[in-house]
mmCIF file of all heavy atoms in Angstrom:
data_model
loop_
_atom_site.group_PDB
_atom_site.id
_atom_site.type_symbol
_atom_site.label_atom_id
_atom_site.label_comp_id
_atom_site.label_asym_id
_atom_site.label_seq_id
_atom_site.Cartn_x
_atom_site.Cartn_y
_atom_site.Cartn_z
ATOM 1 N N ALA A 95 -56.169 -121.486 -41.576
ATOM 2 C CA ALA A 95 -56.533 -122.186 -40.337
ATOM 3 C C ALA A 95 -55.445 -122.078 -39.275
ATOM 4 O O ALA A 95 -55.701 -122.295 -38.095
ATOM 5 C CB ALA A 95 -56.820 -123.657 -40.634
ATOM 6 N N PHE A 96 -54.221 -121.707 -39.679
ATOM 7 C CA PHE A 96 -53.113 -121.615 -38.726
ATOM 8 C C PHE A 96 -53.006 -120.239 -38.092
ATOM 9 O O PHE A 96 -52.155 -120.007 -37.249
ATOM 10 C CB PHE A 96 -51.795 -121.983 -39.402
ATOM 11 C CG PHE A 96 -51.778 -123.405 -39.892
ATOM 12 C CD1 PHE A 96 -51.921 -123.674 -41.237
ATOM 13 C CD2 PHE A 96 -51.649 -124.466 -39.001
ATOM 14 C CE1 PHE A 96 -51.926 -124.982 -41.694
ATOM 15 C CE2 PHE A 96 -51.656 -125.771 -39.448
ATOM 16 C CZ PHE A 96 -51.804 -126.036 -40.798
ATOM 17 N N LEU A 97 -53.831 -119.288 -38.523
ATOM 18 C CA LEU A 97 -53.795 -117.945 -37.952
ATOM 19 C C LEU A 97 -54.617 -117.921 -36.674
ATOM 20 O O LEU A 97 -55.759 -118.367 -36.649
ATOM 21 C CB LEU A 97 -54.342 -116.917 -38.940
ATOM 22 C CG LEU A 97 -53.568 -116.773 -40.242
ATOM 23 C CD1 LEU A 97 -54.251 -115.759 -41.149
ATOM 24 C CD2 LEU A 97 -52.134 -116.374 -39.982
ATOM 25 N N GLY A 98 -54.013 -117.372 -35.632
ATOM 26 C CA GLY A 98 -54.703 -117.329 -34.350
ATOM 27 C C GLY A 98 -54.491 -115.999 -33.651
ATOM 28 O O GLY A 98 -54.139 -114.987 -34.269
ATOM 29 N N GLN A 99 -54.664 -116.001 -32.336
ATOM 30 C CA GLN A 99 -54.551 -114.778 -31.550
ATOM 31 C C GLN A 99 -53.137 -114.202 -31.562
ATOM 32 O O GLN A 99 -52.956 -112.990 -31.528
ATOM 33 C CB GLN A 99 -55.023 -115.022 -30.120
ATOM 34 C CG GLN A 99 -56.524 -115.238 -30.012
ATOM 35 C CD GLN A 99 -57.300 -114.088 -30.635
ATOM 36 O OE1 GLN A 99 -57.057 -112.917 -30.349
ATOM 37 N NE2 GLN A 99 -58.240 -114.419 -31.520
ATOM 38 N N GLU A 100 -52.112 -115.047 -31.609
ATOM 39 C CA GLU A 100 -50.731 -114.550 -31.637
ATOM 40 C C GLU A 100 -50.482 -113.721 -32.897
ATOM 41 O O GLU A 100 -49.882 -112.649 -32.839
ATOM 42 C CB GLU A 100 -49.739 -115.703 -31.562
ATOM 43 C CG GLU A 100 -48.290 -115.240 -31.503
ATOM 44 C CD GLU A 100 -47.303 -116.388 -31.393
ATOM 45 O OE1 GLU A 100 -47.710 -117.560 -31.357
ATOM 46 O OE2 GLU A 100 -46.098 -116.095 -31.343
ATOM 47 N N GLU A 101 -50.952 -114.220 -34.028
ATOM 48 C CA GLU A 101 -50.782 -113.474 -35.279
ATOM 49 C C GLU A 101 -51.580 -112.174 -35.252
ATOM 50 O O GLU A 101 -51.091 -111.124 -35.687
ATOM 51 C CB GLU A 101 -51.211 -114.335 -36.480
ATOM 52 C CG GLU A 101 -50.262 -115.473 -36.789
ATOM 53 C CD GLU A 101 -50.380 -116.665 -35.841
ATOM 54 O OE1 GLU A 101 -51.418 -116.793 -35.134
ATOM 55 O OE2 GLU A 101 -49.444 -117.468 -35.795
ATOM 56 N N ARG A 102 -52.782 -112.221 -34.714
ATOM 57 C CA ARG A 102 -53.604 -111.008 -34.592
ATOM 58 C C ARG A 102 -52.888 -109.973 -33.715
ATOM 59 O O ARG A 102 -52.807 -108.804 -34.056
ATOM 60 C CB ARG A 102 -54.982 -111.325 -34.008
ATOM 61 C CG ARG A 102 -55.853 -110.085 -33.788
ATOM 62 C CD ARG A 102 -57.198 -110.437 -33.175
ATOM 63 N NE ARG A 102 -57.989 -111.262 -34.045
ATOM 64 C CZ ARG A 102 -58.748 -110.801 -35.041
ATOM 65 N NH1 ARG A 102 -58.789 -109.523 -35.294
ATOM 66 N NH2 ARG A 102 -59.457 -111.626 -35.777
ATOM 67 N N HIS A 103 -52.336 -110.438 -32.605
ATOM 68 C CA HIS A 103 -51.616 -109.551 -31.689
ATOM 69 C C HIS A 103 -50.420 -108.907 -32.405
ATOM 70 O O HIS A 103 -50.181 -107.703 -32.272
ATOM 71 C CB HIS A 103 -51.157 -110.319 -30.445
ATOM 72 C CG HIS A 103 -50.222 -109.545 -29.580
ATOM 73 N ND1 HIS A 103 -50.647 -108.523 -28.749
ATOM 74 C CD2 HIS A 103 -48.877 -109.612 -29.438
ATOM 75 C CE1 HIS A 103 -49.600 -108.005 -28.137
ATOM 76 N NE2 HIS A 103 -48.508 -108.652 -28.540
ATOM 77 N N ASN A 104 -49.649 -109.719 -33.147
ATOM 78 C CA ASN A 104 -48.480 -109.186 -33.852
ATOM 79 C C ASN A 104 -48.869 -108.122 -34.870
ATOM 80 O O ASN A 104 -48.218 -107.077 -34.962
ATOM 81 C CB ASN A 104 -47.696 -110.310 -34.536
ATOM 82 C CG ASN A 104 -46.969 -111.197 -33.557
ATOM 83 O OD1 ASN A 104 -46.724 -110.807 -32.414
ATOM 84 N ND2 ASN A 104 -46.624 -112.386 -33.988
ATOM 85 N N VAL A 105 -49.917 -108.378 -35.631
ATOM 86 C CA VAL A 105 -50.378 -107.394 -36.626
ATOM 87 C C VAL A 105 -50.828 -106.117 -35.923
ATOM 88 O O VAL A 105 -50.485 -105.010 -36.347
ATOM 89 C CB VAL A 105 -51.515 -107.974 -37.494
ATOM 90 C CG1 VAL A 105 -52.184 -106.884 -38.324
ATOM 91 C CG2 VAL A 105 -50.984 -109.084 -38.388
ATOM 92 N N GLU A 106 -51.566 -106.254 -34.837
ATOM 93 C CA GLU A 106 -52.031 -105.075 -34.098
ATOM 94 C C GLU A 106 -50.859 -104.271 -33.538
ATOM 95 O O GLU A 106 -50.877 -103.040 -33.560
ATOM 96 C CB GLU A 106 -53.002 -105.498 -32.995
ATOM 97 C CG GLU A 106 -54.341 -105.954 -33.556
ATOM 98 C CD GLU A 106 -55.261 -106.564 -32.516
ATOM 99 O OE1 GLU A 106 -54.829 -106.785 -31.351
ATOM 100 O OE2 GLU A 106 -56.421 -106.849 -32.868
ATOM 101 N N GLU A 107 -49.814 -104.953 -33.046
ATOM 102 C CA GLU A 107 -48.631 -104.258 -32.526
ATOM 103 C C GLU A 107 -47.909 -103.491 -33.633
ATOM 104 O O GLU A 107 -47.469 -102.359 -33.430
ATOM 105 C CB GLU A 107 -47.674 -105.256 -31.855
ATOM 106 C CG GLU A 107 -48.120 -105.710 -30.490
ATOM 107 C CD GLU A 107 -48.192 -104.562 -29.491
ATOM 108 O OE1 GLU A 107 -47.201 -103.833 -29.320
ATOM 109 O OE2 GLU A 107 -49.274 -104.405 -28.883
ATOM 110 N N VAL A 108 -47.760 -104.107 -34.781
ATOM 111 C CA VAL A 108 -47.102 -103.445 -35.915
ATOM 112 C C VAL A 108 -47.875 -102.194 -36.299
ATOM 113 O O VAL A 108 -47.294 -101.117 -36.479
ATOM 114 C CB VAL A 108 -46.977 -104.406 -37.121
ATOM 115 C CG1 VAL A 108 -46.619 -103.649 -38.391
ATOM 116 C CG2 VAL A 108 -45.937 -105.480 -36.835
ATOM 117 N N LEU A 109 -49.181 -102.305 -36.399
ATOM 118 C CA LEU A 109 -49.997 -101.147 -36.782
ATOM 119 C C LEU A 109 -50.008 -100.075 -35.695
ATOM 120 O O LEU A 109 -49.906 -98.882 -35.987
ATOM 121 C CB LEU A 109 -51.422 -101.591 -37.114
ATOM 122 C CG LEU A 109 -51.563 -102.468 -38.359
ATOM 123 C CD1 LEU A 109 -52.992 -102.969 -38.498
ATOM 124 C CD2 LEU A 109 -51.116 -101.728 -39.599
ATOM 125 N N LYS A 110 -50.098 -100.488 -34.433
ATOM 126 C CA LYS A 110 -50.123 -99.530 -33.323
ATOM 127 C C LYS A 110 -48.825 -98.728 -33.251
ATOM 128 O O LYS A 110 -48.834 -97.524 -33.010
ATOM 129 C CB LYS A 110 -50.368 -100.273 -32.003
ATOM 130 C CG LYS A 110 -50.448 -99.353 -30.787
ATOM 131 C CD LYS A 110 -50.762 -100.129 -29.529
ATOM 132 C CE LYS A 110 -49.470 -100.739 -29.044
ATOM 133 N NZ LYS A 110 -49.573 -101.452 -27.783
ATOM 134 N N ASN A 111 -47.700 -99.381 -33.500
ATOM 135 C CA ASN A 111 -46.393 -98.732 -33.374
ATOM 136 C C ASN A 111 -45.828 -98.213 -34.700
ATOM 137 O O ASN A 111 -44.710 -97.716 -34.743
ATOM 138 C CB ASN A 111 -45.384 -99.710 -32.754
ATOM 139 C CG ASN A 111 -45.771 -100.087 -31.351
ATOM 140 O OD1 ASN A 111 -46.153 -99.239 -30.549
ATOM 141 N ND2 ASN A 111 -45.701 -101.369 -31.041
ATOM 142 N N TRP A 112 -46.596 -98.365 -35.776
ATOM 143 C CA TRP A 112 -46.145 -97.939 -37.119
ATOM 144 C C TRP A 112 -44.837 -98.613 -37.504
ATOM 145 O O TRP A 112 -43.956 -98.014 -38.109
ATOM 146 C CB TRP A 112 -46.026 -96.406 -37.202
ATOM 147 C CG TRP A 112 -47.364 -95.755 -37.186
ATOM 148 C CD1 TRP A 112 -47.997 -95.250 -36.085
ATOM 149 C CD2 TRP A 112 -48.245 -95.588 -38.282
ATOM 150 N NE1 TRP A 112 -49.224 -94.770 -36.435
ATOM 151 C CE2 TRP A 112 -49.409 -94.952 -37.790
ATOM 152 C CE3 TRP A 112 -48.196 -95.889 -39.635
ATOM 153 C CZ2 TRP A 112 -50.491 -94.631 -38.604
ATOM 154 C CZ3 TRP A 112 -49.262 -95.567 -40.441
ATOM 155 C CH2 TRP A 112 -50.395 -94.941 -39.926
ATOM 156 N N ASP A 113 -44.704 -99.881 -37.156
ATOM 157 C CA ASP A 113 -43.508 -100.668 -37.469
ATOM 158 C C ASP A 113 -43.644 -101.365 -38.826
ATOM 159 O O ASP A 113 -43.422 -102.556 -38.961
ATOM 160 C CB ASP A 113 -43.272 -101.739 -36.399
ATOM 161 C CG ASP A 113 -42.626 -101.199 -35.149
ATOM 162 O OD1 ASP A 113 -42.194 -100.040 -35.161
ATOM 163 O OD2 ASP A 113 -42.553 -101.948 -34.164
ATOM 164 N N LEU A 114 -44.009 -100.623 -39.846
ATOM 165 C CA LEU A 114 -44.264 -101.211 -41.157
ATOM 166 C C LEU A 114 -43.003 -101.386 -41.997
ATOM 167 O O LEU A 114 -43.037 -101.997 -43.059
ATOM 168 C CB LEU A 114 -45.272 -100.362 -41.931
ATOM 169 C CG LEU A 114 -46.642 -100.209 -41.268
ATOM 170 C CD1 LEU A 114 -47.490 -99.207 -42.032
ATOM 171 C CD2 LEU A 114 -47.339 -101.552 -41.199
ATOM 172 N N THR A 115 -41.889 -100.839 -41.572
ATOM 173 C CA THR A 115 -40.638 -100.937 -42.321
ATOM 174 C C THR A 115 -39.532 -101.451 -41.409
ATOM 175 O O THR A 115 -39.713 -101.569 -40.197
ATOM 176 C CB THR A 115 -40.218 -99.565 -42.887
ATOM 177 O OG1 THR A 115 -40.033 -98.655 -41.809
ATOM 178 C CG2 THR A 115 -41.279 -99.016 -43.833
ATOM 179 N N ARG A 116 -38.365 -101.707 -41.990
ATOM 180 C CA ARG A 116 -37.282 -102.274 -41.193
ATOM 181 C C ARG A 116 -36.656 -101.263 -40.252
ATOM 182 O O ARG A 116 -36.032 -101.633 -39.276
ATOM 183 C CB ARG A 116 -36.246 -102.930 -42.091
ATOM 184 C CG ARG A 116 -35.504 -101.993 -42.998
ATOM 185 C CD ARG A 116 -34.679 -102.733 -44.050
ATOM 186 N NE ARG A 116 -33.935 -103.836 -43.504
ATOM 187 C CZ ARG A 116 -32.628 -103.969 -43.590
ATOM 188 N NH1 ARG A 116 -31.922 -103.079 -44.216
ATOM 189 N NH2 ARG A 116 -32.022 -104.990 -43.073
ATOM 190 N N PHE A 117 -36.768 -99.958 -40.539
ATOM 191 C CA PHE A 117 -36.214 -98.932 -39.662
ATOM 192 C C PHE A 117 -37.277 -97.900 -39.328
ATOM 193 O O PHE A 117 -38.084 -97.543 -40.172
ATOM 194 C CB PHE A 117 -35.010 -98.230 -40.309
ATOM 195 C CG PHE A 117 -33.864 -99.152 -40.571
ATOM 196 C CD1 PHE A 117 -33.504 -99.480 -41.860
ATOM 197 C CD2 PHE A 117 -33.148 -99.708 -39.518
ATOM 198 C CE1 PHE A 117 -32.443 -100.344 -42.100
ATOM 199 C CE2 PHE A 117 -32.092 -100.577 -39.749
ATOM 200 C CZ PHE A 117 -31.746 -100.896 -41.045
ATOM 201 N N ALA A 118 -37.259 -97.408 -38.105
ATOM 202 C CA ALA A 118 -38.170 -96.342 -37.698
ATOM 203 C C ALA A 118 -37.531 -95.017 -38.095
ATOM 204 O O ALA A 118 -36.411 -94.717 -37.690
ATOM 205 C CB ALA A 118 -38.408 -96.396 -36.190
ATOM 206 N N TYR A 119 -38.235 -94.246 -38.890
ATOM 207 C CA TYR A 119 -37.661 -93.006 -39.404
ATOM 208 C C TYR A 119 -37.362 -91.990 -38.307
ATOM 209 O O TYR A 119 -36.394 -91.264 -38.380
ATOM 210 C CB TYR A 119 -38.591 -92.388 -40.455
ATOM 211 C CG TYR A 119 -38.709 -93.250 -41.661
ATOM 212 C CD1 TYR A 119 -39.863 -93.976 -41.913
ATOM 213 C CD2 TYR A 119 -37.651 -93.388 -42.550
ATOM 214 C CE1 TYR A 119 -39.963 -94.795 -43.018
ATOM 215 C CE2 TYR A 119 -37.727 -94.207 -43.649
ATOM 216 C CZ TYR A 119 -38.890 -94.901 -43.891
ATOM 217 O OH TYR A 119 -38.977 -95.719 -44.976
ATOM 218 N N ASP A 120 -38.177 -91.973 -37.266
ATOM 219 C CA ASP A 120 -37.972 -90.999 -36.198
ATOM 220 C C ASP A 120 -37.069 -91.528 -35.079
ATOM 221 O O ASP A 120 -36.687 -90.790 -34.187
ATOM 222 C CB ASP A 120 -39.314 -90.538 -35.625
ATOM 223 C CG ASP A 120 -40.150 -91.692 -35.100
ATOM 224 O OD1 ASP A 120 -39.838 -92.855 -35.421
ATOM 225 O OD2 ASP A 120 -41.123 -91.427 -34.387
ATOM 226 N N ALA A 121 -36.711 -92.819 -35.133
ATOM 227 C CA ALA A 121 -35.844 -93.409 -34.107
ATOM 228 C C ALA A 121 -35.026 -94.537 -34.737
ATOM 229 O O ALA A 121 -35.322 -95.714 -34.566
ATOM 230 C CB ALA A 121 -36.690 -93.946 -32.947
ATOM 231 N N PRO A 122 -33.975 -94.191 -35.514
ATOM 232 C CA PRO A 122 -33.208 -95.203 -36.246
ATOM 233 C C PRO A 122 -32.602 -96.300 -35.381
ATOM 234 O O PRO A 122 -32.337 -97.388 -35.863
ATOM 235 C CB PRO A 122 -32.111 -94.406 -36.939
ATOM 236 C CG PRO A 122 -32.403 -92.987 -36.717
ATOM 237 C CD PRO A 122 -33.479 -92.854 -35.693
ATOM 238 N N GLU A 123 -32.405 -96.020 -34.101
ATOM 239 C CA GLU A 123 -31.805 -97.025 -33.221
ATOM 240 C C GLU A 123 -32.826 -98.066 -32.756
ATOM 241 O O GLU A 123 -32.474 -99.101 -32.205
ATOM 242 C CB GLU A 123 -31.156 -96.350 -32.006
ATOM 243 C CG GLU A 123 -32.123 -95.759 -30.994
ATOM 244 C CD GLU A 123 -32.813 -94.453 -31.433
ATOM 245 O OE1 GLU A 123 -32.384 -93.845 -32.426
ATOM 246 O OE2 GLU A 123 -33.780 -94.063 -30.761
ATOM 247 N N LYS A 124 -34.113 -97.821 -32.995
ATOM 248 C CA LYS A 124 -35.177 -98.719 -32.565
ATOM 249 C C LYS A 124 -35.182 -99.982 -33.435
ATOM 250 O O LYS A 124 -34.993 -99.919 -34.636
ATOM 251 C CB LYS A 124 -36.526 -98.012 -32.698
ATOM 252 C CG LYS A 124 -37.697 -98.878 -32.337
ATOM 253 C CD LYS A 124 -39.010 -98.160 -32.559
ATOM 254 C CE LYS A 124 -40.152 -99.100 -32.261
ATOM 255 N NZ LYS A 124 -41.408 -98.593 -32.736
ATOM 256 N N THR A 125 -35.382 -101.125 -32.805
ATOM 257 C CA THR A 125 -35.544 -102.373 -33.546
ATOM 258 C C THR A 125 -37.029 -102.572 -33.806
ATOM 259 O O THR A 125 -37.784 -102.877 -32.884
ATOM 260 C CB THR A 125 -34.966 -103.566 -32.766
ATOM 261 O OG1 THR A 125 -33.579 -103.336 -32.549
ATOM 262 C CG2 THR A 125 -35.147 -104.860 -33.534
ATOM 263 N N THR A 126 -37.429 -102.366 -35.047
ATOM 264 C CA THR A 126 -38.833 -102.547 -35.404
ATOM 265 C C THR A 126 -39.153 -104.035 -35.493
ATOM 266 O O THR A 126 -38.265 -104.882 -35.460
ATOM 267 C CB THR A 126 -39.143 -101.891 -36.766
ATOM 268 O OG1 THR A 126 -38.398 -102.581 -37.782
ATOM 269 C CG2 THR A 126 -38.807 -100.411 -36.766
ATOM 270 N N PHE A 127 -40.429 -104.347 -35.629
ATOM 271 C CA PHE A 127 -40.871 -105.731 -35.758
ATOM 272 C C PHE A 127 -40.212 -106.383 -36.973
ATOM 273 O O PHE A 127 -39.730 -107.511 -36.915
ATOM 274 C CB PHE A 127 -42.398 -105.777 -35.879
ATOM 275 C CG PHE A 127 -42.978 -107.149 -35.732
ATOM 276 C CD1 PHE A 127 -43.296 -107.652 -34.480
ATOM 277 C CD2 PHE A 127 -43.208 -107.951 -36.838
ATOM 278 C CE1 PHE A 127 -43.830 -108.921 -34.337
ATOM 279 C CE2 PHE A 127 -43.732 -109.216 -36.709
ATOM 280 C CZ PHE A 127 -44.049 -109.701 -35.452
ATOM 281 N N VAL A 128 -40.160 -105.652 -38.087
ATOM 282 C CA VAL A 128 -39.560 -106.184 -39.314
ATOM 283 C C VAL A 128 -38.071 -106.443 -39.116
ATOM 284 O O VAL A 128 -37.551 -107.500 -39.485
ATOM 285 C CB VAL A 128 -39.793 -105.230 -40.512
ATOM 286 C CG1 VAL A 128 -39.065 -105.707 -41.750
ATOM 287 C CG2 VAL A 128 -41.280 -105.070 -40.783
ATOM 288 N N ARG A 129 -37.361 -105.484 -38.518
ATOM 289 C CA ARG A 129 -35.926 -105.663 -38.289
ATOM 290 C C ARG A 129 -35.687 -106.811 -37.315
ATOM 291 O O ARG A 129 -34.733 -107.584 -37.464
ATOM 292 C CB ARG A 129 -35.288 -104.367 -37.768
ATOM 293 C CG ARG A 129 -33.806 -104.449 -37.620
ATOM 294 C CD ARG A 129 -33.113 -104.622 -38.975
ATOM 295 N NE ARG A 129 -31.684 -104.800 -38.783
ATOM 296 C CZ ARG A 129 -30.962 -105.738 -39.360
ATOM 297 N NH1 ARG A 129 -31.512 -106.567 -40.220
ATOM 298 N NH2 ARG A 129 -29.683 -105.840 -39.127
ATOM 299 N N GLY A 130 -36.559 -106.963 -36.320
ATOM 300 C CA GLY A 130 -36.453 -108.088 -35.391
ATOM 301 C C GLY A 130 -36.605 -109.423 -36.116
ATOM 302 O O GLY A 130 -35.894 -110.392 -35.822
#
C-alpha cells in the first residue's frame, strides 16, 4: 500500500538507464541509482 508513483518512477529510471548494479560498466565514473 506504500508503493506509489515515486517508486514506479524510480524503477522505470533504473530499467531505462540499466542502473541495475552499483557501477556502470561502460562509465565507471557514473553514479548509478544503486551507488547513489
Side-chain angles (χ1 to χ4, degrees):
F96 297 104
L97 298 178
Q99 290 305 310
E100 183 179 0
E101 289 77 18
R102 177 181 296 277
H103 170 76
N104 289 340
V105 168
E106 289 172 352
E107 284 297 306
V108 166
L109 293 174
K110 181 177 81 176
N111 296 316
W112 289 96
D113 281 351
L114 300 173
T115 60
R116 65 191 315 237
F117 297 111
Y119 295 107
D120 57 345
E123 71 286 347
K124 177 183 177 193
T125 300
T126 65
F127 192 87
V128 175
R129 185 65 184 132

